Amino acid sequence: MKIKNQILTRINQKPIVYDTFYNDNKKQKPLVIFCHGYKGFKDWGTWDLVANNFAKQNLFFVKFNFSHNGGTANQPIDFPDLDAFAENNYTKELQDLDDILNHFTSDQSIYKNNIDTNNITLIGHSRGGGISIIKASEDHRITKLITWASVCAFGKRTSTTGDLEQWKQDGVKYVLNSRTKQNMPHNFQFYLDYINNKDRLDIENCCKRLTIPHLIIHGTKDPSVSFEEAKLLKLWSPKNTLIALPETNHVFNAKHPWTENYLPEALEVVTKKSIAFIN
């Protein structure tokens, strides 16, 4: 069963749009929550096909848009709301993830008969990998962690660094989205949020605090997040497995839009390895 574009409303906060993929057999099954990356969204490219594969293996798969990713409830694909994007930051994404977790583990959840709340896996791609690592290090509900092409640090990312004086003076800086050709705004609050929460957002320390199994998957030819970052995650995380995929890029050779009804070979490997790790 696939239910798209459901809305999680919150008091004094932007809503979160999410999808669920699962076999409605009224049997409790592992909950898998997927976090997209920077300039990403839940409907990007192959993510629906990936979700279907997890559901076929009797896993309850959830993917969602971070509330300030630039999408809206009416238009969850791409970035119609750049004002929201400008106000995004790491701690907002951590709060979004916490609210999604609370929603699906609640006794009031309409899905409670289909979810084993004692078996929860986070999957994060790219920046979403960093968010997932931090969340897994501080939330005892998470039982397994999977990161795909994950970053190993936030402090050196384009969205966090740059000409700080100019950024502060202007109040905003822009990063080009090469696909949509939009200049994506980052208000200076993004940097302040990082600095004010630097200890919490230290991915290395969060990795070292992990007590759960962690699967790291990364392409050796990733031009966006170097494979060296995966090797550092491997070094820091005490209970982990690193799978290196040769000749594979940041999105495991997928693209947006994706019009085929099958996954690229590399992403199929990622999906199968991840499902096996959960099961």
Side-chain angles (χ1 to χ4, degrees), residues 14-74:
K14 287 179 69 65
I16 297 173
V17 189
Y18 67 91
D19 304 335
T20 52
F21 292 72
Y22 64 103
N23 176 11
D24 190 16
N25 55 11
K26 299 300 186 288
K27 292 182 180 176
Q28 293 186 331
K29 49 192 76 70
L31 173 62
V32 182
I33 297 177
F34 173 75
C35 302
H36 68 73
Y38 177 55
K39 292 186 285 188
F41 47 96
K42 67 178 180 62
D43 298 298
W44 183 92
T46 47
W47 294 150
D48 268 14
L49 285 176
V50 168
N52 277 326
N53 277 296
F54 278 81
K56 285 176 185 174
Q57 297 302 315
N58 214 34
L59 300 169
F60 193 106
F61 193 93
V62 176
K63 56 188 178 71
F64 68 99
N65 279 350
F66 285 111
S67 62
H68 287 70
N69 80 317
T72 65
N74 293 327

Side-chain angles (χ1 to χ4, degrees), residues 166-221:
Q166 191 66 49
W167 191 4
K168 183 177 181 181
Q169 181 178 323
D170 296 342
V172 63
K173 73 168 182 176
Y174 297 89
V175 176
L176 178 67
N177 185 322
S178 58
R179 182 179 62 81
T180 66
K181 308 306 179 190
Q182 290 168 292
N183 280 314
M184 312 289 282
H186 294 276
N187 290 344
F188 191 62
Q189 63 79 28
F190 193 106
Y191 176 74
L192 294 177
D193 177 76
Y194 171 69
I195 291 300
N196 291 335
N197 296 279
K198 202 170 181 180
D199 289 343
R200 184 188 183 196
L201 299 173
D202 188 322
I203 295 173
E204 177 179 351
N205 285 342
C206 290
C207 274
K208 291 174 178 176
R209 288 200 303 270
L210 288 173
T211 58
I212 58 174
H214 178 192
L215 177 63
I216 304 161
I217 307 180
H218 210 113
T220 60
K221 299 294 186 183

Side-chain angles (χ1 to χ4, degrees), residues 256-273:
H256 183 84
W258 183 263
T259 56
E260 312 295 343
N261 62 359
Y262 58 85
L263 293 173
E265 185 178 348
L267 187 52
E268 187 171 1
V269 170
V270 171
T271 303
K272 286 180 175 177
K273 295 284 188 184

